[in-house]
Amino acid sequence: MSTKIAVISSLAFRDRLISIAQEVENIQLEFYIYKTPDETPMLMKQIKPCDVLLLSGTLPYLYAKPLLPSWPIPWTYLQQEEFAISTSILSVLANNNLPLSKISIDVMNMQHVQNIVNDIHYEGPLPFIQEIHIDKPFDHIFRHHKQLWQDEKIGFVITSIHSVYDALTAEGIPAMRMHDSNSSIKRRLEQTKALSKMTKSESAKAAVGVLEFLESIEDYQLVLQRIVATTHASYQKIDDKHFELFTTFGHIQNAFHHNLLESFFNISKHPIKLTFGYGVSILEAQKNARQALKFATPNSVFIMNENKELQGPFPKDPTTLSLQTKDPYVLRMAKETKLSPLNISKIMAFSVSRQSLQFTALDLAEYLQVTRRTTERILKKLVEHGYAKVVGEEMSYQQGRPRAIYELNFSTYH
């Protein structure tokens, strides 16, 4: 089955892309043509069902960027590379008998040109360079090129913008469009096809959910049916408070993408827990979902993937916690302190999640979902081995001893 690629590009680039695409098997290109790249967001709203989106350059990508985080299918773009700039410059130098200083060029990143001249150890006068910004009118770039030509400072223009090229040639100014090599375009088409296949394969991965009602409630059937419908799942009853859901990674991600899962917790007045496990088999996904339930908190969603990474709580600010580690640093700490690698990983995640470096045992207890006494035992072991230190006391307006203020004394960025 061929991969259907929606392509947003200029008219000038379309024919070239069609020619190169003939060398890539099993792809079908569906074009959405802009006159200027700022039309990209409007064209995105016109795209019919397809497998993947290809933006034909950095400019359309920049205009599309605000829409891409919520874009429902995979996407990629043809990024301007130093190779394209260097071959374009070489073409002008070889065919027009001009020094580099007599060229005017506009690029997405000026540093690319500087890198090229550094690589060839060039020490002479540089070309005239304009950096492209989407908040700067392209007409300004055209006028600058034109002025340099009229002042006889240049003999040729290389432009990354098709509309600027058209305007320059209409004025009789020698110009060329930035030339991406056929091989780089072909490679991007192949990568685009591979991205689509990888995404589909990932979406088909098994996912098992566990729904736990913390109390026996009458309206459980409504909650269950809503979750089943949203995640396109089948289900089986484990006992009066537990149900197992069977679906795919793609359906779960789609529910997250459209913010559908958080609505479950508003249906019932009673607390519920919901976890999902991913795996290469139903059995593995099932085990991961059940293990995630041990760490889940009420009215939130937790996910454990095939790498034993626990993600959650959703829809709040989720963190990722690895339940297995091969990090020798963590393993050494676990051996010295007699704490589990899991607890140390949780403490690392706690540290990264906070704005303040200092904390109390109560702060850590609330994060770990354990008693303050348990947390104080953990902190005592960390302090004894130099992995934490007491840096002060919290003044209390109530009776009782002041609470110690701690600071971690080891690297948490692992």
Side-chain angles (χ1 to χ4, degrees), residues 55-58 77-81 84 112 180 188:
L55 300 159
S56 65
T58 306
Y77 72 103
L78 192 63
Q79 188 173 5
Q80 187 173 81
E81 301 173 341
H112 288 335
D180 293 290
R188 177 55 62 184

Side-chain angles (χ1 to χ4, degrees), residues 2 15 34 50 75 94 111 119 138 140 176 194 225-226 263 267 274 291 298 306 316 327 332 360 364 397:
S2 64
D15 292 341
Y34 60 72
C50 59
W75 57 269
Q111 188 59 45
D119 287 343
F138 297 156
H140 173 83
M176 69 173 287
Q225 291 301 329
R226 182 71 64 85
S263 65
I267 302 173
L274 179 61
Q291 189 174 2
E306 59 271 39
K316 302 173 185 176
D327 188 331
R332 191 186 78 221
T360 66
L364 184 56
Y397 295 99

Side-chain angles (χ1 to χ4, degrees), residues 327-342:
D327 188 331
Y329 185 78
V330 173
L331 294 175
R332 191 186 78 221
M333 279 186 63
K335 184 176 181 181
E336 290 179 8
T337 61
K338 302 297 191 290
L339 296 173
S340 70
L342 175 58

